[in-house]
Amino acid sequence: MAAALGIDLGTTNSVVCVSDGSGVRVLPDGDGNLLIPSVVSFHPAGDVLVGHPARERRLLDARNTVYSVKRLIGRPFRSPEVTRAQERFPFELREGPTQGVLVAARGETYTLPEISAFVLREVRRIAEEHLGQGVARAVITVPANFNELQRSATKAAGRVAGLDVLRILNEPTAAALAYGYGKGSRERVAVFDLGGGTFDITILELAGTFLGGDDIDLLVAEKMADAFLEHHRFDPRQDPQAYERLRAASEWAKCQLSVEEEVQLRIEELAYGDGGASLDLTFGFKRSALERLARPLVGRAFDVCEDAMRVAGIRPTQLDNVILVGGSTRMPLVREMVAEYFGREPLSTIDPDLVVAHGAALQASALAPDRPSVAPKQLAKVALKKVSLADLKAKNARRQELREEAAAALPAQPAFQPP
């Protein structure tokens, strides 16, 4: 029987795992990458790029490259979360006919389940290539505070990607499963999840907020923009593509400073001056400077922790363990603050970027034997290729069919009620 996948459909990156007789395995892409960027780019040739090729296009074509939209799925267009996203994303968001969110790119519009389906289809392709067989079943994880509409939208995205979704599993539950909890143990565990775009703390109840590595990247990007403005008298924030390059460089610097004390960056041709002269940015940054910037922001996570502790009726030191989830927990500052708050060193023996997918794979393995195999739908592969006009029309007609299928699977969008 074909394997069932565990998929962590992440804000920044996605991960796919399988649990079999040899244990839990993370399935890499053809280049050995375990993390698949949750990025979709619409190429001028009419093709769709997903993952690493799409992330590279973000530096060249930010307006037609979509990323970090996971937390907007299932939300009304006029909600505060979408309003904030419009201020920070270089790509265009529009209101759909049912008050949902559409992404506009190259003269077309796409629903958010469609964007997620592109990522899931690529994840499935990677898994099938690695396993050497077709895959049709999966468990997909979502944040614990996703509402029913958001869960339905995620499940619809899975169906559009040709997957039989066995279960929509809460991310903190998946992380706990990966460490062996949930098998009769009465221990109380906190799951501290600081990802690319969001922060969640789960104990007995959950509180969530828009806070994550993206916010730290923005702080560093602002510093870089200020330095460029002071040196060249040009503000790169006026050019969305230039600012997007700064944000990408900021993310790289943040990651490097998790293992190094200082980094040096050079971004060439960030802008052009008189006579077309290239204006470059050279920027040095120390871990201590990053920590000074990030500490107030990370501190907000512990305000959320306090709220969760109050609801649960316990104190941090009464917990038996703390599990780290999300790439941003690699920052030494975050680990230090977590250890100080909870009075113990957190668990991170499983890679924080991979732990949710591990748990999803274990759940998929437990569910799969009782479920019949479903033949995967015939959907186009994500690839860069030339297409004829006739092929393009046929592909657009097929995409419209898939969109109608996704829409039919979703409940009606509730009308937005201003606070």
Side-chain angles (χ1 to χ4, degrees):
M1 182 177 289
L5 304 176
I7 299 174
D8 175 10
L9 181 62
T11 304
T12 305
N13 296 295
S14 293
V15 181
V16 57
C17 286
V18 65
S19 177
D20 53 27
S22 59
V24 177
R25 290 183 290 145
V26 183
L27 306 182
D29 67 12
D31 295 322
N33 300 304
L34 301 180
L35 302 181
I36 304 159
S38 302
V39 184
V40 178
S41 186
F42 299 93
H43 196 274
D47 301 293
V48 182
L49 304 178
V50 180
H52 289 278
R55 190 171 67 176
E56 293 172 6
R57 289 287 305 173
R58 179 180 166 186
L59 301 179
L60 303 173
D61 188 13
R63 186 165 182 79
N64 296 294
T65 302
V66 184
Y67 60 91
S68 291
V69 295
K70 171 181 172 180
R71 284 297 177 114
L72 303 183
I73 196 168
R75 292 187 183 275
F77 180 78
R78 298 182 184 275
S79 65
E81 294 83 3
V82 176
T83 299
R84 288 200 299 271
Q86 287 180 292
E87 296 171 354
R88 65 195 301 178
F89 288 151
F91 49 88
E92 183 183 355
L93 300 177
R94 294 182 186 172
E95 184 171 8
T98 58
Q99 291 76 54
V101 181
L102 298 177
V103 174
R106 303 217 177 273
E108 296 283 346
T109 57
Y110 303 84
T111 65
L112 297 189
E114 281 185 289
I115 298 297
S116 292
F118 282 124
V119 177
L120 289 170
R121 196 178 303 148
E122 174 68 356
V123 166
R124 176 182 146 206
R125 183 196 67 78
I126 288 170
E128 291 180 337
E129 184 177 87
H130 187 87
L131 296 172
Q133 62 179 347
V135 178
R137 296 168 298 169
V139 168
I140 302 174
T141 62
V142 296
N145 63 347
F146 257 27
N147 60 34
E148 194 55 41
L149 185 61
Q150 291 171 301
R151 293 169 189 272
S152 297
T154 302
K155 193 167 188 176
R159 286 198 293 267
V160 172
L163 291 168
D164 174 21
V165 182
L166 304 178
R167 179 166 296 175
I168 296 295
L169 181 66
N170 289 344
E171 291 167 1
T173 303
L177 287 173
Y179 277 99
Y181 292 104
K183 298 179 180 179
S185 170
R186 297 183 62 85
E187 292 181 276
R188 291 184 291 195
V189 179
V191 178
F192 188 99
D193 184 351
L194 186 58
T198 53
F199 168 70
D200 295 304
I201 177 69
T202 302
I203 310 160
L204 301 178
E205 300 286 342
L206 177 131
T209 184
F210 278 71
L211 165 65
D214 286 353
D215 299 276
I216 298 173
D217 299 345
L218 282 172
L219 291 176
V220 179
E222 288 292 304
K223 281 286 186 184
M224 296 169 71
D226 289 341
F228 193 81
L229 175 61
E230 182 178 355
H231 187 72
H232 292 294
R233 298 178 182 271
F234 176 83
D235 191 344
R237 285 164 288 215
Q238 297 175 359
D239 180 347
Q241 188 62 62
Y243 192 56
E244 195 64 17
R245 292 179 65 194
L246 285 187
R247 288 183 60 176
S250 301
E251 180 184 8
W252 177 87
K254 178 193 68 179
C255 294
Q256 290 297 112
L257 288 171
S258 292
V259 294
E260 300 176 13
E261 293 293 333
E262 185 174 359
V263 294
Q264 293 288 331
L265 302 94
R266 180 174 176 80
I267 306 176
E268 298 180 347
E269 300 183 9
L270 188 60
Y272 296 92
D274 296 337
S278 170
L279 303 180
D280 306 332
L281 173 67
T282 301
F283 188 78
F285 207 49
K286 294 183 177 180
R287 181 190 292 177
S288 57
L290 173 65
E291 291 183 346
R292 282 195 298 273
L293 272 181
R295 187 175 290 275
L297 194 65
V298 176
R300 287 170 47 195
F302 296 97
D303 294 336
V304 178
C305 289
E306 277 297 297
D307 290 340
M309 294 292 166
R310 186 163 48 251
V311 170
I314 57 176
R315 296 306 305 149
T317 53
Q318 293 177 276
L319 293 166
D320 297 294
N321 258 315
V322 182
I323 296 172
L324 293 184
V325 175
S328 295
T329 62
R330 297 178 185 278
M331 291 180 64
L333 172 68
V334 173
R335 291 171 180 261
E336 171 192 317
M337 293 178 73
V338 168
E340 181 180 350
Y341 178 81
F342 289 99
R344 63 171 58 248
E345 287 297 320
L347 291 175
S348 58
T349 51
I350 301 176
D351 189 320
D353 274 319
L354 309 178
V355 63
V356 168
H358 270 239
L362 291 170
Q363 179 77 135
S365 178
L367 293 174
D370 298 326
R371 296 292 296 268
S373 180
V374 178
K377 299 176 184 177
Q378 296 300 313
L379 296 174
K381 290 185 178 180
V382 176
L384 178 59
K385 61 181 181 180
K386 299 292 184 181
V387 292
S388 68
L389 182 59
D391 288 340
L392 190 58
K393 287 181 178 178
K395 185 160 59 175
N396 286 340
R398 178 58 176 152
R399 188 167 63 78
Q400 182 61 32
E401 292 177 8
L402 295 176
R403 176 179 295 180
E404 291 171 358
E405 178 185 337
L410 293 175
Q413 283 276 1
F416 172 67
Q417 298 293 331

